[in-house]
Amino acid sequence: MTEKDFKLLMDLAEKKLHQEVTKEEALRSLANAGILDEKGNLTEPYKDLAIGTPQ
């Protein structure tokens, strides 16, 4: 990756970081990443992140 490519990637990441998204878009993104299932529950590798859940 060239320095120019790296800068373009960082600029895109910065822009995405400040972009507003709806709740539905955020949940869809988490599901696409495999963090949530289709029902909105944490998938197995992320179960320990649940707040207020006994372990």
Side-chain angles (χ1 to χ4, degrees), residues 13 17 35 40 51:
L17 187 62
I35 298 169
I51 296 173

Side-chain angles (χ1 to χ4, degrees), residues 6 8 17 19 21 30 33 53:
F6 180 75
L8 289 172
L17 187 62
Q19 183 179 14
V21 296
L30 291 170
T53 306

Side-chain angles (χ1 to χ4, degrees), residues 23-40:
K23 179 179 178 179
E24 291 77 18
E25 290 170 325
L27 291 173
R28 189 173 343 124
S29 178
L30 291 170
N32 288 339
I35 298 169
L36 297 178
D37 64 17
E38 65 279 349
K39 294 180 181 179

